[in-house]
Amino acid sequence: MFEYAPAPESRSVVAIRPSYDLFIDGDFVAAKSGERIITVNPADEEPLAEVAAAGDADVERAFAAARRAFERVWSPLPGAERGKYLFRIARIIQERARELAVLESLDNGKPIKETRDVDLPLVAAHFFYYAGWADKLAHAGLGTRPLGVAAQVIPWNFPLLMLAWKVAPALATGNTVVLKPAETTPLTALAFAEICQEAELPPGVVNIVTGAGDTGRAVVAHPGADKVAFTGSTEVGKEIARAVASTGKRLTLELGGKGANIVYDDAAIDQAVEGVVSGIFFNQGHVCCAGSRLLVQESIADELLARLRARIERLRLGDPLDKNTDIGAINSAAQLARIRELAAAGEAEGATGWSPPCPLPERGYWFPPTVFTGVTQAHRIAREEIFGPVLSVLTFRTPEEAVAKANNTPYGLSAGVWTEKGSLMLWTASRLRAGVVWSNTFNVFDPASPFGGYKESGYGREGGLLGLEAYLDV
């Protein structure tokens, strides 16, 4: 059997500062709170940088700057001129793509081949896409009046991509932004602040306040926010919905998921196996729309599981900067503890866990790719979002049973359907209560395609034309 030689991407393309301040009104400014947080590399637990933690006074400064920029500069600017700034940002992102990909892998723990080949191309694509819409809003049928100042809170699993999903449509429609990145992954958002400076974006149009949960709560609750956009856990999303309920603020929530990957007996099995692997092990399972439940038709379950195990045994876990790595580090100690807790619950409740022979590095946060069989719908691992590289396998006999099991969840974000029959595909997709249904593929994204969920997966849509609607006074 061939062995892979290490193929590490160089860290020298990234210059990480020892310390970072807040980005407010076009400049990096010290936090009045005086508090700092340390972001670490999840692959080795080594500190990367010290980052300011914004307090209430800092958040107030950011919203004041955003309001001034909205009223005096950005909303009066013609759409074609706003589009020029977005195009400029997109081009700078492309020019700095290698640096940003390495920085994302260091701060987040995901493999470099994912940040390089998926995250960064999509980040640039979203800015290009919405730059094209900036001068065409009158033709979209949604009106042209922006909402005002958008308060945006993004998660740690796709730090720069989630920033692009939110900032690009907000700016294209004439809004200004106060953005709070995740506590554990602030570095690419701060690099984006440098890109805003390089693009000569008017001061105050984008403001970035780093910090932990208290900072996020201050951003969401600020009376100067006309729009709140949040991506993260369902628990926090509910808290935000309660806080915003009586304020008149517009709200978009993209929350958790427990996506079902349905494989019918006529599916191309090898293709389905690749989709299942991508659906749950991409980004270590740190994906809200991950296909964390595999529903396989009973007649092909044994064959598919045998091929699935053989495929998983070929996955490589290790250094995120190695270009051969398939599975990187878990983002934080807290998330690793959550994954371990739910995996242990699966074993305790009678499911059978399997992982390939997989030596784990001594330092850092790691969890091997894991498959649970013998899972029932009552198991916690079939009901709760694990947000890690853990797959729960259930079987079904009829299409009706597949749909019933797929919909038997409080979530409704994503699903995948694998079949060679177009009629069966359409029949199934029309009955799945999921915001996104992939056909013979999984985890495919495009800036022109809207994304969002039902039930406890949130409401509102990001991406595409509907992503513009969320930032316009329709």
Side-chain angles (χ1 to χ4, degrees):
M1 182 184 229
F2 289 108
E3 291 293 332
Y4 285 91
E9 174 62 271
S10 174
R11 289 185 58 159
S12 65
V13 299
V14 175
I16 300 177
R17 303 181 201 169
S19 180
Y20 288 86
D21 290 323
L22 309 175
F23 183 69
I24 297 175
D25 209 14
D27 288 312
F28 285 95
V29 297
K32 292 183 177 180
S33 71
E35 297 179 9
R36 316 288 290 181
I37 56 178
I38 295 175
T39 181
V40 303
N41 182 345
D44 59 16
E45 303 176 60
E46 291 295 322
L48 291 171
E50 192 178 73
V51 179
D56 290 346
D58 303 306
V59 171
E60 180 63 41
R61 278 194 296 170
F63 273 96
R67 181 61 60 184
R68 284 194 303 272
F70 172 74
E71 293 177 350
R72 300 177 187 177
V73 180
W74 197 244
S75 66
L77 202 65
E81 295 303 309
R82 292 199 301 268
K84 289 178 183 178
Y85 283 104
L86 289 171
F87 276 122
R88 195 178 302 166
I89 288 170
R91 288 194 295 269
I92 295 171
I93 288 169
Q94 287 184 319
E95 291 166 3
R96 297 179 60 174
R98 185 181 178 196
E99 168 201 351
L100 293 168
V102 172
L103 184 59
E104 195 82 300
S105 287
L106 287 171
D107 205 21
N108 171 277
K110 65 172 64 181
I112 184 68
K113 69 180 183 181
E114 292 181 5
T115 59
R116 178 195 65 197
D117 299 341
V118 180
D119 292 36
L120 263 299
L122 279 172
V123 169
H126 275 80
F127 278 98
F128 277 125
Y129 175 78
Y130 283 111
W133 269 116
D135 64 346
K136 303 175 185 67
L137 297 177
H139 305 288
L142 302 172
T144 60
R145 190 167 63 183
L147 295 173
V149 178
Q152 302 178 332
V153 180
I154 58 174
W156 47 259
N157 59 333
F158 290 92
L160 194 55
L161 182 56
M162 292 298 100
L163 178 151
W165 278 27
K166 289 175 170 51
V167 171
L171 266 52
T173 48
N175 301 274
T176 55
V177 166
V178 176
L179 180 132
K180 206 288 284 188
E183 175 185 1
T184 60
T185 54
L187 296 186
T188 46
L190 294 167
F192 180 77
E194 297 173 353
I195 290 171
C196 291
Q197 290 179 322
E198 189 177 346
E200 299 180 351
L201 191 71
V205 174
V206 170
N207 305 273
I208 297 174
V209 290
T210 49
D214 288 343
T215 304
R217 278 185 280 273
V219 168
V220 167
H222 195 280
D226 301 295
K227 157 77 178 180
V228 175
F230 171 77
T231 296
S233 71
T234 296
E235 179 183 357
V236 176
K238 289 179 178 179
E239 181 183 332
I240 290 172
R242 285 191 290 268
V244 170
S246 60
T247 64
K249 298 174 184 177
R250 293 274 289 275
L251 178 62
T252 301
L253 295 174
E254 198 267 281
L255 309 176
K258 195 69 181 173
N261 229 338
I262 301 172
V263 183
Y264 285 110
D265 58 6
D266 68 316
I269 292 184
D270 286 335
Q271 181 186 0
V273 164
E274 289 300 315
V276 170
V277 168
S278 171
I280 185 57
F281 300 125
F282 176 70
N283 195 27
Q284 297 74 254
H286 297 334
V287 185
C288 51
C289 57
S292 54
R293 290 181 298 150
L294 170 59
L295 302 181
V296 56
Q297 197 149 16
E298 199 173 273
S299 57
I300 61 164
D302 290 342
E303 181 183 3
L304 184 139
L305 286 172
R307 295 196 200 184
L308 179 62
R309 290 189 182 100
R311 179 66 181 90
I312 293 171
E313 286 175 344
R314 294 196 295 273
L315 296 176
R316 295 176 59 82
L317 179 148
D319 179 9
L321 289 185
D322 189 327
K323 299 175 186 116
N324 296 317
T325 294
D326 299 302
I327 297 180
I330 302 303
N331 180 253
S332 67
Q335 185 59 31
L336 178 59
R338 164 75 175 169
I339 296 168
R340 286 174 172 168
E341 175 199 347
L342 283 167
E347 296 277 5
E349 292 177 353
T352 302
W354 173 87
S355 297
C358 191
L360 303 180
E362 293 181 1
R363 289 183 57 80
Y365 313 125
W366 305 92
F367 197 88
T370 301
V371 176
F372 276 97
T373 53
V375 179
T376 73
Q377 295 180 86
H379 285 143
R380 287 182 65 192
I381 56 173
R383 293 183 289 108
E384 298 183 28
E385 184 179 38
I386 300 174
F387 222 60
V390 179
L391 178 67
S392 298
V393 181
L394 301 92
T395 61
F396 66 89
R397 293 183 178 179
T398 66
E400 290 79 8
E401 183 184 357
V403 169
K405 285 185 173 180
N407 287 338
N408 185 22
T409 173
Y411 299 106
L413 191 55
S414 67
V417 183
W418 302 83
T419 175
E420 295 292 281
K421 298 185 180 74
S423 58
L424 181 56
M425 171 66 67
L426 294 172
W427 182 93
T428 306
S430 67
R431 286 160 175 78
L432 291 173
R433 191 66 170 160
V436 178
V437 180
W438 284 292
S439 170
N440 290 322
T441 189
F442 209 90
N443 277 342
V444 175
F445 301 97
D446 188 280
S449 178
F451 182 89
Y454 297 100
K455 300 187 287 187
E456 292 194 7
S457 289
Y459 45 79
R461 293 293 182 266
E462 293 181 309
L465 191 60
L466 293 179
L468 290 171
E469 183 180 18
Y471 290 94
L472 289 167
D473 190 5
V474 178

